Amino acid sequence: MKPKNHPLPRATEMAHRFVLERIRPGDRAIDATSGNGHDTLFLAKSVGPEGKVYAFDIQEQAIDATAAKTSGLPQVELFCLGHEEMDKVVSERVKTIMFNLGYLPKGDKTVITQTDTTLRALEAGIRLLDEGGLLSITLYEGHEGGQEEAEAVLTWAEGLDQADFYVARYQFLNLRNSPPSLLVIEKRH
Ligand SMILES: C[S@@+](CC[C@H](N)C(=O)[O-])C[C@H]1O[C@@H](n2cnc3c(N)ncnc32)[C@H](O)[C@@H]1O
């Protein structure tokens, strides 16, 4: 019998797997790029009604889509606000933060995350992370500006002190269409 083909998980799926290992009902989480709301819904289900998910996006369309996907879930709070401002509205430590960079799928492909604000948001994010908390970043290099942003994020992440953080990357090495890769950062203490 022909063996069944089990493709390796995509970066976005690996992000969920890493987060699932960490997060518990009642935890706090941030979705830094809510987009169509898939990750916000995933986080909301993972933390449950006793937990809390703060979700950010700069586009009304994305916030509306996320609101529709998570309607009736009291643990979700949405902000039509740049993620670089997250520490102005989140005043407690969180167990996990998810970034999914680039543009809104099926939306305006010219509205993309920008290197400068992404780096500021990441700095704010690692300050808000709890001890043992996890920050995931899905990185896209296929669109204009994506490679520059990905390189800047990788340089920033490589510079994090190993006394304070573990940083790892998951990436396909032989696919032609620039699939996204995943960075995960664990705050040690
Ligand atoms: C790849 S999409 C996110 C997909 C989303 N996680 C999902 O599950 O559908 C990237 C999103 O980042 C948003 N974005 C761009 N710049 C932003 C910023 N400074 N702060 C927050 N969101 C931003 C875009 O509007 C877009 O919706």
Side-chain angles (χ1 to χ4, degrees):
M1 205 167 74
K2 222 173 141 200
K4 235 183 163 181
N5 185 17
H6 288 284
L8 286 167
R10 291 176 298 171
T12 45
E13 189 188 329
M14 283 305 283
H16 286 195
R17 289 194 191 187
F18 276 110
V19 167
L20 263 185
E21 268 185 9
R22 288 302 143 121
I23 205 161
R24 297 282 173 271
D27 280 347
R28 272 85 186 98
I30 293 175
D31 184 352
T33 49
S34 80
N36 289 317
H38 303 288
D39 294 329
T40 307
L41 181 61
F42 160 74
L43 289 170
K45 284 181 176 165
S46 305
V47 301
E50 307 301 320
K52 175 91 189 177
V53 181
Y54 303 92
F56 296 85
D57 206 291
I58 51 168
Q59 297 191 71
E60 292 276 359
Q61 185 192 343
I63 293 298
D64 290 347
T66 304
K69 196 155 270 146
T70 59
S71 78
L73 298 177
Q75 63 269 45
V76 176
E77 192 173 353
L78 301 174
F79 297 91
C80 194
L81 182 70
H83 43 213
E84 62 280 8
E85 313 270 9
M86 64 170 76
D87 53 358
K88 301 216 167 85
V89 291
V90 180
S91 55
E92 58 183 347
R93 294 293 192 98
V94 299
K95 186 48 78 62
T96 192
I97 306 180
M98 297 184 76
F99 283 81
N100 188 344
L101 301 179
Y103 57 80
L104 179 66
K106 299 191 189 126
D108 183 348
K109 293 199 164 74
T110 64
V111 183
I112 53 172
T113 51
Q114 303 286 333
T115 304
D116 168 54
T117 42
T118 298
L119 292 176
R120 278 164 48 205
L122 289 170
E123 282 291 344
I126 57 169
R127 283 195 299 271
L128 283 171
L129 258 194
D130 231 341
E131 198 174 298
L134 190 99
L135 187 150
S136 74
I137 313 163
T138 304
L139 288 169
Y140 298 80
E141 301 188 37
H143 63 277
E144 211 182 310
Q147 193 171 2
E148 180 217 312
E149 182 185 40
E151 280 169 10
V153 170
L154 286 169
T155 303
W156 170 82
E158 281 163 10
L160 291 174
D161 193 329
Q162 67 170 21
D164 302 321
F165 299 96
Y166 291 118
V167 182
R169 188 179 190 189
Y170 174 79
Q171 179 181 28
F172 284 94
L173 296 178
N174 68 332
L175 298 185
R176 262 173 264 130
N177 61 347
S178 307
S181 64
L182 175 71
L183 267 192
V184 282
I185 299 173
E186 179 184 315
K187 189 166 181 175
R188 299 180 62 174
H189 50 79

Short mmCIF file of all heavy atoms in Angstrom, two decimals, residues 31-40 56-59 62 81-84 100-105 111-114 117 140, ligand 1:
data_model
loop_
_atom_site.label_atom_id
_atom_site.label_comp_id
_atom_site.label_asym_id
_atom_site.label_seq_id
_atom_site.Cartn_x
_atom_site.Cartn_y
_atom_site.Cartn_z
N ASP A 31 -3.15 38.89 20.80
CA ASP A 31 -3.00 38.69 19.36
C ASP A 31 -2.61 40.05 18.79
O ASP A 31 -3.43 40.98 18.76
CB ASP A 31 -4.31 38.19 18.74
CG ASP A 31 -4.13 37.89 17.25
OD1 ASP A 31 -3.06 38.21 16.71
OD2 ASP A 31 -5.07 37.32 16.65
N ALA A 32 -1.35 40.18 18.36
CA ALA A 32 -0.83 41.49 17.95
C ALA A 32 -1.28 41.88 16.55
O ALA A 32 -1.12 43.05 16.17
CB ALA A 32 0.70 41.47 18.02
N THR A 33 -1.82 40.95 15.78
CA THR A 33 -2.25 41.22 14.39
C THR A 33 -3.52 40.40 14.14
O THR A 33 -3.45 39.30 13.58
CB THR A 33 -1.15 40.79 13.39
OG1 THR A 33 -0.72 39.46 13.72
CG2 THR A 33 0.05 41.71 13.40
N SER A 34 -4.66 40.92 14.53
CA SER A 34 -5.85 40.03 14.57
C SER A 34 -6.35 39.62 13.18
O SER A 34 -6.91 38.54 13.03
CB SER A 34 -6.97 40.70 15.37
OG SER A 34 -7.65 41.64 14.59
N GLY A 35 -6.18 40.48 12.16
CA GLY A 35 -6.54 40.10 10.79
C GLY A 35 -7.96 39.56 10.69
O GLY A 35 -8.91 40.20 11.13
N ASN A 36 -8.10 38.37 10.16
CA ASN A 36 -9.44 37.78 10.02
C ASN A 36 -9.90 37.04 11.27
O ASN A 36 -10.97 36.42 11.26
CB ASN A 36 -9.47 36.85 8.80
CG ASN A 36 -9.40 37.65 7.51
OD1 ASN A 36 -10.06 38.68 7.37
ND2 ASN A 36 -8.58 37.21 6.56
N GLY A 37 -9.10 37.08 12.32
CA GLY A 37 -9.55 36.59 13.61
C GLY A 37 -9.27 35.13 13.93
O GLY A 37 -9.65 34.65 15.00
N HIS A 38 -8.55 34.43 13.05
CA HIS A 38 -8.31 32.99 13.31
C HIS A 38 -7.50 32.79 14.59
O HIS A 38 -7.83 31.94 15.42
CB HIS A 38 -7.56 32.34 12.14
CG HIS A 38 -8.26 32.49 10.83
ND1 HIS A 38 -9.41 31.79 10.54
CD2 HIS A 38 -8.00 33.25 9.75
CE1 HIS A 38 -9.82 32.12 9.33
NE2 HIS A 38 -8.99 33.01 8.83
N ASP A 39 -6.43 33.58 14.73
CA ASP A 39 -5.58 33.40 15.92
C ASP A 39 -6.27 33.91 17.18
O ASP A 39 -6.11 33.33 18.26
CB ASP A 39 -4.24 34.14 15.73
CG ASP A 39 -3.41 33.53 14.62
OD1 ASP A 39 -3.51 32.30 14.40
OD2 ASP A 39 -2.66 34.27 13.96
N THR A 40 -7.06 34.98 17.04
CA THR A 40 -7.78 35.49 18.22
C THR A 40 -8.75 34.42 18.72
O THR A 40 -8.85 34.17 19.94
CB THR A 40 -8.55 36.79 17.87
OG1 THR A 40 -7.66 37.72 17.29
CG2 THR A 40 -9.16 37.40 19.11
N PHE A 56 -5.23 43.20 18.54
CA PHE A 56 -4.93 44.48 17.90
C PHE A 56 -4.92 44.36 16.39
O PHE A 56 -4.43 43.36 15.84
CB PHE A 56 -3.52 44.97 18.32
CG PHE A 56 -3.42 45.27 19.78
CD1 PHE A 56 -3.13 44.26 20.70
CD2 PHE A 56 -3.62 46.55 20.26
CE1 PHE A 56 -3.04 44.53 22.05
CE2 PHE A 56 -3.54 46.84 21.61
CZ PHE A 56 -3.25 45.82 22.51
N ASP A 57 -5.42 45.38 15.72
CA ASP A 57 -5.20 45.54 14.29
C ASP A 57 -5.45 47.01 13.96
O ASP A 57 -6.21 47.68 14.65
CB ASP A 57 -6.12 44.64 13.45
CG ASP A 57 -5.50 44.31 12.09
OD1 ASP A 57 -5.39 45.22 11.24
OD2 ASP A 57 -5.11 43.15 11.87
N ILE A 58 -4.80 47.47 12.89
CA ILE A 58 -5.00 48.89 12.52
C ILE A 58 -6.14 49.07 11.53
O ILE A 58 -6.52 50.19 11.24
CB ILE A 58 -3.70 49.51 11.93
CG1 ILE A 58 -3.13 48.63 10.82
CG2 ILE A 58 -2.68 49.77 13.00
CD1 ILE A 58 -2.03 49.32 10.01
N GLN A 59 -6.69 47.96 10.99
CA GLN A 59 -7.74 48.09 9.98
C GLN A 59 -9.11 47.76 10.59
O GLN A 59 -9.28 46.68 11.18
CB GLN A 59 -7.48 47.14 8.81
CG GLN A 59 -6.21 47.45 8.05
CD GLN A 59 -6.13 46.66 6.76
OE1 GLN A 59 -6.86 46.92 5.82
NE2 GLN A 59 -5.23 45.68 6.73
N ALA A 62 -10.44 44.40 9.63
CA ALA A 62 -9.90 43.27 10.38
C ALA A 62 -10.58 43.17 11.75
O ALA A 62 -10.96 42.07 12.19
CB ALA A 62 -8.39 43.44 10.55
N LEU A 81 -5.96 49.59 16.88
CA LEU A 81 -4.80 50.34 17.37
C LEU A 81 -3.54 49.60 16.93
O LEU A 81 -3.53 48.36 16.91
CB LEU A 81 -4.88 50.36 18.91
CG LEU A 81 -3.84 51.11 19.70
CD1 LEU A 81 -4.01 52.63 19.51
CD2 LEU A 81 -3.97 50.77 21.19
N GLY A 82 -2.48 50.35 16.64
CA GLY A 82 -1.22 49.71 16.26
C GLY A 82 -0.66 48.88 17.42
O GLY A 82 -0.70 49.33 18.57
N HIS A 83 -0.11 47.72 17.10
CA HIS A 83 0.43 46.86 18.18
C HIS A 83 1.60 47.51 18.92
O HIS A 83 1.92 47.13 20.04
CB HIS A 83 0.80 45.47 17.65
CG HIS A 83 1.52 45.45 16.35
ND1 HIS A 83 1.35 44.42 15.45
CD2 HIS A 83 2.39 46.29 15.76
CE1 HIS A 83 2.10 44.65 14.38
NE2 HIS A 83 2.72 45.76 14.54
N GLU A 84 2.24 48.50 18.27
CA GLU A 84 3.34 49.21 18.93
C GLU A 84 2.86 50.01 20.14
O GLU A 84 3.65 50.47 20.95
CB GLU A 84 4.08 50.10 17.92
CG GLU A 84 3.27 51.23 17.28
CD GLU A 84 2.38 50.78 16.12
OE1 GLU A 84 2.25 49.57 15.87
OE2 GLU A 84 1.78 51.67 15.47
N ASN A 100 1.44 37.78 13.51
CA ASN A 100 1.37 37.17 12.18
C ASN A 100 1.51 38.34 11.20
O ASN A 100 0.57 39.09 10.99
CB ASN A 100 0.01 36.45 12.05
CG ASN A 100 -0.10 35.63 10.78
OD1 ASN A 100 0.68 35.79 9.85
ND2 ASN A 100 -1.08 34.75 10.75
N LEU A 101 2.73 38.52 10.69
CA LEU A 101 3.07 39.76 9.99
C LEU A 101 2.54 39.75 8.55
O LEU A 101 1.94 38.79 8.09
CB LEU A 101 4.59 39.95 10.02
CG LEU A 101 5.20 40.02 11.43
CD1 LEU A 101 6.71 40.18 11.36
CD2 LEU A 101 4.58 41.14 12.26
N GLY A 102 2.77 40.88 7.85
CA GLY A 102 2.38 40.94 6.44
C GLY A 102 1.05 41.64 6.25
O GLY A 102 0.71 42.56 6.98
N TYR A 103 0.28 41.20 5.26
CA TYR A 103 -1.00 41.86 4.92
C TYR A 103 -2.18 40.96 5.26
O TYR A 103 -2.03 39.75 5.49
CB TYR A 103 -1.02 42.26 3.44
CG TYR A 103 -0.79 41.12 2.48
CD1 TYR A 103 -1.80 40.24 2.13
CD2 TYR A 103 0.47 40.91 1.91
CE1 TYR A 103 -1.60 39.19 1.26
CE2 TYR A 103 0.69 39.86 1.03
CZ TYR A 103 -0.34 39.00 0.71
OH TYR A 103 -0.12 37.96 -0.14
N LEU A 104 -3.35 41.63 5.26
CA LEU A 104 -4.59 40.92 5.59
C LEU A 104 -5.00 40.03 4.40
O LEU A 104 -5.26 40.55 3.32
CB LEU A 104 -5.68 41.96 5.87
CG LEU A 104 -7.09 41.46 6.20
CD1 LEU A 104 -7.10 40.72 7.52
CD2 LEU A 104 -8.05 42.65 6.27
N PRO A 105 -5.06 38.71 4.59
CA PRO A 105 -5.49 37.85 3.48
C PRO A 105 -6.88 38.28 2.99
O PRO A 105 -7.76 38.57 3.79
CB PRO A 105 -5.52 36.45 4.09
CG PRO A 105 -4.65 36.53 5.30
CD PRO A 105 -4.75 37.94 5.80
N VAL A 111 -1.59 47.41 2.74
CA VAL A 111 -1.48 47.68 4.18
C VAL A 111 -0.74 46.51 4.81
O VAL A 111 -1.30 45.43 5.00
CB VAL A 111 -2.87 47.85 4.84
CG1 VAL A 111 -2.72 48.19 6.32
CG2 VAL A 111 -3.67 48.92 4.13
N ILE A 112 0.54 46.75 5.09
CA ILE A 112 1.36 45.66 5.64
C ILE A 112 2.01 46.11 6.94
O ILE A 112 2.11 47.31 7.20
CB ILE A 112 2.48 45.24 4.64
CG1 ILE A 112 3.29 46.46 4.19
CG2 ILE A 112 1.90 44.49 3.45
CD1 ILE A 112 4.52 46.12 3.38
N THR A 113 2.43 45.15 7.73
CA THR A 113 3.19 45.52 8.93
C THR A 113 4.52 46.15 8.48
O THR A 113 5.05 45.79 7.44
CB THR A 113 3.44 44.28 9.80
OG1 THR A 113 4.00 43.23 8.99
CG2 THR A 113 2.16 43.78 10.44
N GLN A 114 4.99 47.09 9.28
CA GLN A 114 6.18 47.88 8.91
C GLN A 114 7.31 47.60 9.90
O GLN A 114 7.08 47.51 11.11
CB GLN A 114 5.85 49.38 8.96
CG GLN A 114 4.70 49.80 8.08
CD GLN A 114 5.07 49.81 6.59
OE1 GLN A 114 6.24 49.99 6.24
NE2 GLN A 114 4.09 49.60 5.73
N THR A 117 7.51 49.81 13.24
CA THR A 117 6.47 49.59 14.25
C THR A 117 6.48 48.13 14.74
O THR A 117 6.20 47.85 15.91
CB THR A 117 5.08 49.97 13.71
OG1 THR A 117 4.94 49.50 12.37
CG2 THR A 117 4.87 51.47 13.75
N TYR A 140 6.81 36.65 6.83
CA TYR A 140 6.59 36.46 5.39
C TYR A 140 7.64 37.25 4.62
O TYR A 140 7.86 38.43 4.91
CB TYR A 140 5.20 36.97 4.98
CG TYR A 140 4.07 36.24 5.66
CD1 TYR A 140 3.71 36.56 6.96
CD2 TYR A 140 3.37 35.23 5.00
CE1 TYR A 140 2.68 35.89 7.60
CE2 TYR A 140 2.33 34.57 5.62
CZ TYR A 140 1.99 34.90 6.93
OH TYR A 140 0.96 34.24 7.56
C1 LIG B 1 -1.24 38.30 8.17
S1 LIG B 1 -2.48 39.37 8.78
C2 LIG B 1 -2.92 38.61 10.31
C3 LIG B 1 -3.73 37.34 10.18
C4 LIG B 1 -4.46 36.97 11.43
N1 LIG B 1 -3.56 36.60 12.52
C5 LIG B 1 -5.54 35.90 11.25
O1 LIG B 1 -5.57 34.95 12.05
O2 LIG B 1 -6.34 36.03 10.34
C6 LIG B 1 -1.57 40.80 9.28
C7 LIG B 1 -2.42 41.90 9.91
O3 LIG B 1 -1.56 42.86 10.52
C8 LIG B 1 -2.25 44.08 10.53
N2 LIG B 1 -1.33 45.18 10.86
C9 LIG B 1 -0.51 45.90 10.06
N3 LIG B 1 0.17 46.81 10.78
C10 LIG B 1 -0.25 46.68 12.07
C11 LIG B 1 0.07 47.35 13.30
N4 LIG B 1 0.96 48.33 13.37
N5 LIG B 1 -0.56 46.94 14.43
C12 LIG B 1 -1.48 45.94 14.39
N6 LIG B 1 -1.82 45.28 13.27
C13 LIG B 1 -1.20 45.64 12.13
C14 LIG B 1 -2.85 44.15 9.13
O4 LIG B 1 -3.90 45.06 9.09
C15 LIG B 1 -3.29 42.68 8.92
O5 LIG B 1 -4.64 42.51 9.23
#
